[in-house]
Amino acid sequence: MEAPVDTAARAEEILTLNVEDLDLELRRARVVSKGGAIEYVHWATATARLLPRLLSGRICEPVLLADRRAPSSGRRATASGDVCPVTGRGRLSYPRAEYLFKTTSAELDPHRQGWTLHQLRHSALQRLAQAGRTAPELQAKSRHRHLAGLGRYVRLGEETSARITAEADPIQRRRPR
């Protein structure tokens, strides 16, 4: 699912979504943010096309499910709200999602170690910044409370600094033709 990239949301916010939290028509989901506030994340076309197939007619309970049935008794029993009543499968956990993502992304990683779910959020924000989005736009997308919190995600590098300096230079050596 491409939602963490589309939404730049925290992985935990996406993993805790229930089907009833989704608004498929408006391409958004109601999430409980890090501070406990109710907020909305929005997704793009690829995720909008994938969600109906992922949900396969389900109308309640977890959006992202583990690949096995959840244990119903014993010390590893899953809370009833974290089990799909149709399939009996439990909610996909953060450790399992991280493992699956790292395993899948290892082929693309030059170091062959795979990437973390947090790096997925980081890359989404970095791509938006490289595309020229402003800090307040990044703050709105990522739902950071303070602009300073974006600094760890967005490192644009020397090229960006050079471009900004050149664009702001009132006495440019070369004029556009």
Side-chain angles (χ1 to χ4, degrees):
M1 185 162 148
E2 296 184 26
V5 175
D6 284 356
T7 64
R10 292 171 187 86
E12 191 67 35
E13 293 170 340
I14 299 301
L15 290 170
T16 58
L17 284 175
N18 287 328
V19 176
E20 52 272 23
D21 298 324
L22 304 177
D23 185 338
L24 298 176
E25 185 179 337
L26 295 178
R27 294 184 179 182
R28 69 181 189 170
R30 183 180 58 241
V31 297
V32 178
S33 71
K34 192 173 176 180
I38 302 296
E39 298 178 332
Y40 287 90
V41 296
H42 298 84
W43 58 81
T45 303
T47 299
R49 290 180 179 160
L50 178 64
L51 276 171
R53 288 184 286 162
L54 178 71
L55 300 176
S56 58
R58 292 184 291 127
I59 57 171
C60 66
E61 304 308 332
V63 172
L64 299 172
L65 299 171
D67 54 357
R68 296 185 208 149
R69 292 182 59 85
S72 58
S73 63
R75 65 182 184 91
R76 296 190 58 178
T78 307
S80 62
D82 287 339
V83 177
C84 174
V86 177
T87 65
R89 293 165 42 201
R91 183 182 306 279
L92 183 63
S93 69
Y94 191 100
R96 182 66 178 160
E98 178 112 313
Y99 169 79
L100 293 171
F101 184 65
K102 283 188 89 138
T103 303
T104 304
S105 64
E107 298 173 14
L108 303 172
D109 180 9
H111 305 291
R112 298 285 185 226
Q113 294 180 358
W115 294 302
T116 66
L117 293 173
H118 186 71
Q119 286 171 315
L120 186 62
R121 175 174 162 87
H122 173 105
S123 67
L125 293 171
Q126 193 169 37
R127 275 185 283 162
L128 289 170
Q130 288 171 341
R133 295 298 180 180
T134 65
E137 287 174 323
L138 294 175
Q139 183 181 22
K141 184 70 175 166
S142 66
R143 294 167 298 104
H144 278 82
R145 286 191 183 161
H146 307 287
L147 283 174
L150 291 170
R152 67 167 47 128
Y153 297 100
V154 183
R155 301 204 193 299
L156 299 177
E158 182 183 351
E159 298 84 20
T160 303
S161 176
R163 181 180 49 78
I164 291 169
T165 303
E167 289 172 0
D169 189 353
I171 306 172
Q172 295 180 4
R173 284 189 271 162
R174 299 180 197 171
R175 294 181 183 220
R177 294 179 191 187

